[in-house]
Every structure is written in C-alpha cells, then in structure tokens.
C-alpha cells in the first residue's frame, strides 16, 4: 500500500503528518503556548484576577463582530482573544485595545 493509500485509509482516525511537518507544528505550538501564557498574565494582572498561573483555554478570533462586545467596532480586522484558567477568564479586544472579564 502506498503512503497516499495509507493516508487515505486512515482518514477516519486522522492523517499522519510528514515528520518534518510534525516537527514544525511542535515548534510553532511551543511558541503559541509561550505567547498565550504572556497574554494570560497581562489580562489577569489588568483585571486583577486571582486565577491560577496557567491558562487552560485559549481562543483567537479575527473578523467581524461575533461576541456582541459593545466596545468593539464593526471593523473586520477586530481581534478577540479569550483566555481562561482556574478562577479567571478574560477577553482582549483590539481595536480598541481593551480587556474585560468573560
């Protein structure tokens, strides 16, 4: 069975990435986790959250208004970052560059 046939036959469980792609994604994931941790710490400090030191959920959304955030514009370039950990959750909206509790 060829590699392509193996990949196609494994679609139900998922397709295994090439080793180089796995390594690239692993490195990128480490960078994303480090960045998300820094964002979590800034939002917690700003909101005076007394949550854990590590986040357990990170969501990045870019595009038109989807969360009914009154402070945000209808600009399609609005970025929303929702991040939470035990005891705290915050949302960062840019523009206008604000954070608020979830």
């Amino acid at each position: 069975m060829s590699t392509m046939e193996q990949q196609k036959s494994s679609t139900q469980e998922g397709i295994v990435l090439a080793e180089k792609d796995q390594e690239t994604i692993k490195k990128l994931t480490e960078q994303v986790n480090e960045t998300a941790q820094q964002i979590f710490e800034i939002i917690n400090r700003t909101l005076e959250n007394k949550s854990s030191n590590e986040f357990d959920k990170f969501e990045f959304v870019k595009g038109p208004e989807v969360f009914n955030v009154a402070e945000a514009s209808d600009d399609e370039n609005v970025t929303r970052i929702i991040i939470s950990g035990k005891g705290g959750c915050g949302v960062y909206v840019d523009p206008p560059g604000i954070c608020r509790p979830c």
Side-chain angles (χ1 to χ4, degrees), residues 29-48:
T29 300
E30 289 171 2
Q31 292 172 2
V32 168
N33 281 328
E34 289 173 12
T35 301
Q37 182 63 40
Q38 292 174 354
I39 292 169
F40 182 64
E41 290 169 6
I42 291 168
I43 290 174
N44 272 347
R45 183 178 65 240
T46 303
L47 297 177
E48 299 180 354

Side-chain angles (χ1 to χ4, degrees), residues 10-43:
S10 66
T11 302
Q12 294 299 325
E13 293 95 33
I15 298 173
V16 177
L17 295 176
E19 190 172 325
K20 181 179 178 183
D21 290 338
Q22 289 180 31
E23 291 172 14
T24 299
I25 288 180
K26 182 177 180 177
K27 289 177 187 174
L28 292 170
T29 300
E30 289 171 2
Q31 292 172 2
V32 168
N33 281 328
E34 289 173 12
T35 301
Q37 182 63 40
Q38 292 174 354
I39 292 169
F40 182 64
E41 290 169 6
I42 291 168
I43 290 174

Side-chain angles (χ1 to χ4, degrees), residues 49-63:
N49 283 342
K50 305 290 189 241
S51 66
S52 65
N53 293 330
E54 294 185 16
F55 69 94
D56 55 22
K57 180 181 178 184
F58 178 85
E59 184 176 353
F60 179 90
V61 180
K62 188 170 180 103

Side-chain angles (χ1 to χ4, degrees), residues 1-11 15:
M1 187 181 304
S2 73
T3 303
M4 186 58 81
E5 289 172 329
Q6 289 173 336
Q7 288 178 341
K8 287 182 180 179
S9 69
S10 66
T11 302
I15 298 173

